[in-house]
Amino acid sequence: MSDDDVTTARRLADRLARLVRVPTVTPADDGPLGPEDARVFGELRELLGELYPRVCAAAEVDVVGRAGLLLRVPGRGGDGGGATALGPVVLMAHQDVVPAPRGNAGEDWAGEGWSHEPFAGVVAPDGAGELTVHGRGTLDDKGALLVTLEAVEDLLGEGWRPHADLWLLLGADEEREGPSAVAAVALLAARGVEPALVVDEGGAVVTGAFPGLRRPMAAVGIAEKGVVTLEIVVEGDPRHAGHASTPPRRGVVPALGRALDALERTPHPAVVDDVTVAMFAAVAPHVPPPLRWLLARADRLRAPLARLLPLLGGEIAAMVRTTTTATVLRGSSAANVIAARASAVVNMRVATSSTAADATAHVERVVARAVGRRGPSVSVRVLDASEPTPASPLDDERWALVSGAVTHAYPDAVVAPYTMLAASDARHVARIAPAVYRFSPLRMTAAQRSSIHGVDENVAASSLVAGVRFYRHLLAG
Ligand SMILES: [Zn+2]
């Protein structure tokens, strides 16, 4: 890094640390914010006003949902190039974070494995001497929020103005799949806004994520899997419930166990879709043979790859199929009482090659066969379903702009599209925008990726500098 970059890195690290110190933990439910949550989100909003005076002066601000912020920096037909020349642009990052132990509440953060207090916003070198910001939200998603606002603040200070409107959507309950992004999208739709380009969290510049790839991979999510939550309910003859001393021959709990076991042994079919083929094509030139040859021919080898890839580990398996996992189990509430009814909540992530209805039908078939017709009855109820999103374009100016900005900020990274496995606020925006790219322009090692929603979340200060560069390039060319 140049001396200038070192100074900038230090400054950005200190500013991110200030954002981390405001504990904007996602509100526990979808109701109105309690006084303490309202105060904390108000504090973050005030801090953003202090750190980004030009953005706040230039933008019209709407509060969306409970504490989400939707800022519109009006287009002025500026000819600075960049993404807004294509039409309105929406940049998204969420203010809220998942919980972590609070030192000032007497919670044992060290005992839970944190090296620094999660909300203290510590800036210190890591083991390799790299200046690092430690704390909850540094990667998810305050780091991205910071670099977005820094870039716009800098550009406005240099006299840059967007061509079409630039929207900044700062959600406040992403981690609960809460209503603020939904409200923002409704507002955009009501105003007739058709975003030409949307960027939200998702992929990142990752190392060690792809076998054989030595260079970092900038994984840009161009689609998102769907989410289906089902409840499997097994009900028996109520006369057979009761005292555990006289169990029936066919109990509801063993039947539910058979159903869950069958689901694990009968996964959804694997399909190598177009996004995966495009990802392999992007990576192929940068991995050694024979993997290079295999990946370069992925389009013609879809069927054998669909059989092979699920064997390579959970993350790769999740890329090529709908996943199913049981989460909440319910049965009897007492040690000596036999349940008349047992249930399991099943969480599915629906592959882009499938649909929510397909995924549900698969579970119904497998479960009915496992429980059989004699004995307890089984039913499957859909609690919640959202379809996978369509894939954003890879063959036009919008992808070229995003991948060009990545290469500008991270010259050594291989840019590759992928399907995002988790759900994000971006899926709501995908309803009104055909080009949504899910990418946080931050470097993440394997350890850093697992610190998201885990312990010791941290980001390198140098990566914040590169992140600002990404957004500047995207907006101003
Ligand atoms: Zn997030």
Side-chain angles (χ1 to χ4, degrees):
M1 280 203 296
S2 69
D3 286 356
D4 271 2
D5 281 354
V6 172
T7 314
T8 309
R10 178 79 225 185
R11 194 179 70 93
L12 295 178
D14 288 338
R15 286 158 76 94
L16 178 56
R18 293 185 66 187
L19 300 184
V20 169
R21 285 180 204 126
V22 186
T24 43
V25 174
T26 315
D29 57 47
D30 287 351
L33 285 188
E36 179 53 18
D37 283 337
R39 189 192 64 71
V40 173
F41 279 91
E43 193 186 323
L44 186 72
R45 185 174 170 181
E46 229 164 78
L47 178 56
L48 295 176
E50 180 199 323
L51 296 178
Y52 304 108
R54 293 190 202 101
V55 175
C56 294
E60 298 157 10
V61 182
D62 278 294
V63 176
V64 285
R66 297 171 294 178
L69 298 172
L70 180 63
L71 285 73
R72 171 180 169 258
V73 182
R76 298 251 184 272
D79 55 1
T84 58
L86 302 177
V89 168
V90 181
L91 305 181
M92 298 168 65
H94 59 89
Q95 309 168 57
D96 61 309
V97 298
V98 293
R102 304 275 294 275
N104 60 3
E107 291 168 2
D108 182 10
W109 50 269
E112 292 197 20
W114 289 79
S115 313
H116 301 276
E117 190 181 330
F119 294 104
V122 173
V123 180
D126 70 358
E130 167 104 51
L131 188 70
T132 301
V133 193
H134 299 267
R136 176 59 85 222
T138 46
L139 292 173
D140 183 14
D141 188 30
K142 286 179 175 169
L145 184 136
L146 176 103
V147 299
T148 307
L149 290 170
E150 293 286 340
V152 180
E153 181 78 6
D154 286 356
L155 288 171
L156 290 172
E158 293 160 17
W160 169 88
R161 297 292 177 268
H163 184 85
D165 289 353
L166 172 64
W167 298 84
L168 305 172
L169 170 51
L170 314 179
D173 38 27
E174 192 276 340
E175 299 294 359
R176 266 194 60 78
E177 299 170 18
S180 67
V182 177
V185 172
L187 193 65
L188 290 171
R191 292 185 187 167
V193 179
E194 291 171 15
L197 180 75
V198 180
V199 180
D200 191 11
E201 66 177 339
V205 181
V206 297
T207 44
F210 201 97
L213 182 63
R214 292 264 172 81
R215 287 167 58 176
M217 177 166 94
V220 179
I222 64 162
E224 217 170 290
K225 290 178 97 174
V227 185
V228 172
T229 312
L230 301 176
E231 189 181 34
I232 301 172
V233 180
V234 182
E235 281 169 300
D237 185 335
R239 287 169 307 175
H240 292 159
H243 203 281
S245 59
T246 51
R249 266 188 48 210
R250 294 171 189 279
V252 295
V253 172
L256 180 63
R258 285 199 297 282
L260 296 180
D261 182 51
L263 278 179
E264 191 178 80
R265 284 186 292 107
T266 323
H268 295 254
V271 175
V272 174
D273 64 9
D274 293 347
V275 180
T276 309
V277 168
M279 176 186 174
F280 288 166
V283 171
H286 309 284
V287 296
L291 189 58
R292 179 187 303 168
W293 305 324
L294 186 68
L295 297 183
R297 287 166 186 75
D299 195 18
R300 278 172 288 154
L301 298 175
R302 291 182 195 235
L305 280 171
R307 285 194 297 276
L308 171 74
L309 292 172
L311 309 176
L312 299 182
E315 217 168 17
I316 295 192
M319 265 170 42
V320 292
R321 67 158 49 118
T322 298
T323 58
T324 306
T325 188
T327 53
V328 183
L329 295 176
R330 290 193 190 88
S332 164
S333 55
N336 59 354
V337 173
I338 297 172
R341 180 180 192 280
S343 67
V345 173
V346 169
N347 189 280
M348 288 195 289
R349 302 305 168 109
V350 184
T352 54
S353 54
S354 182
T355 63
D358 264 359
T360 307
H362 175 87
V363 169
E364 282 169 341
R365 258 192 323 270
V366 171
V367 161
R369 204 181 313 134
V371 173
R373 260 185 262 149
R374 284 152 26 116
S377 72
V378 62
S379 60
V380 174
R381 198 157 67 93
V382 179
L383 302 181
D384 197 22
S386 71
E387 297 292 345
T389 67
S392 300
L394 277 178
D395 56 357
D396 70 2
E397 271 176 299
R398 293 168 288 192
W399 171 256
L401 267 169
V402 172
S403 55
V406 176
T407 303
H408 177 77
Y410 293 95
D412 60 336
V414 175
V415 186
Y418 83 114
T419 296
M420 204 173 146
L421 304 179
S424 81
D425 273 349
R427 73 187 191 283
H428 304 302
V429 191
R431 288 205 303 270
I432 59 165
V436 181
Y437 300 98
R438 298 149 178 94
F439 176 68
S440 302
L442 300 174
R443 219 169 345 106
M444 299 188 196
T445 61
Q448 283 169 324
R449 290 205 303 284
S450 61
S451 75
I452 293 175
H453 293 206
V455 302
D456 267 350
E457 190 175 345
N458 70 87
V459 67
S462 62
S463 183
L464 300 173
V465 179
V468 174
R469 220 167 257 152
F470 167 83
Y471 276 115
R472 286 187 57 120
H473 197 83
L474 183 73
L475 292 172

